[in-house]
Amino acid sequence: MDGARRRLERERDQALARLADLTGDHEAIVAASLDTNADDEHDPEGATIAFERSQIGALVRQVRHHVAEVDAAIDRLVAGTYGVCEVCGRDIGPARLEALPAARTCIGCAARRA
Ligand SMILES: [Zn+2]
C-alpha cells in the first residue's frame, strides 16, 4: 500500500497548491473590487467581479472538499480499510484507485449511485 500512500499525498499536495492559487486569485479580486466599490456599487464592473468571486468561491469549496476526501482516504489507509468499497465491501480495484485515489466506492456502486 506504499504506492497508495504516495498517490494520496501527491493528490493532497496538488489540491493544496490549487487552493493556494485560488485563494491568491480570490484576494486579488477582492482587493480590486474594493477599489471599484469606491466609485459606484451599481456599475456593471461590480456585477462581473461578484460573478468571478462566486465562481472562485465554488472552486475553493470543491478543492477543500477534495482535500477532506483525500484526508479521509489516508485515515482509511491507516485503519486498513483503504481500497474497500463502502457500499458493497468489495475491492475497489487498482485501476480505479490509480485514477481516483480518494474513491470510496467501487465503479459498480458509483455507477448505481449516479
Ligand atoms: Zn461497491
Side-chain angles (χ1 to χ4, degrees):
M1 277 298 174
D2 270 6
R5 177 96 203 191
R6 264 199 303 278
R7 263 202 304 277
L8 285 167
E9 276 168 6
R10 195 169 54 226
E11 187 92 355
R12 198 173 189 285
D13 285 349
Q14 281 170 357
L16 289 176
R18 176 116 176 85
L19 204 54
D21 275 358
L22 287 169
T23 312
D25 285 354
H26 187 251
E27 276 164 10
I29 290 166
V30 171
S33 74
L34 288 178
D35 286 348
T36 53
N37 276 356
D39 270 336
D40 175 5
E41 62 181 39
H42 295 298
D43 78 343
E45 198 68 9
T48 309
I49 288 159
F51 175 73
E52 282 175 5
R53 283 172 68 175
S54 70
Q55 290 287 94
I56 289 174
L59 280 173
V60 166
R61 276 193 298 279
Q62 259 173 38
V63 178
R64 284 206 179 119
H65 175 74
H66 187 60
V67 171
E69 285 294 293
V70 172
D71 280 345
I74 291 173
D75 285 349
R76 291 197 297 277
L77 198 63
V78 172
T81 58
Y82 179 75
V84 177
C85 175
E86 287 186 348
V87 178
C88 68
R90 295 197 195 106
D91 282 351
I92 291 175
R96 180 161 162 81
L97 286 175
E98 211 162 299
L100 294 169
R104 290 173 179 272
T105 58
C106 70
I107 198 150
C109 291
R112 271 194 296 279
R113 274 184 174 185

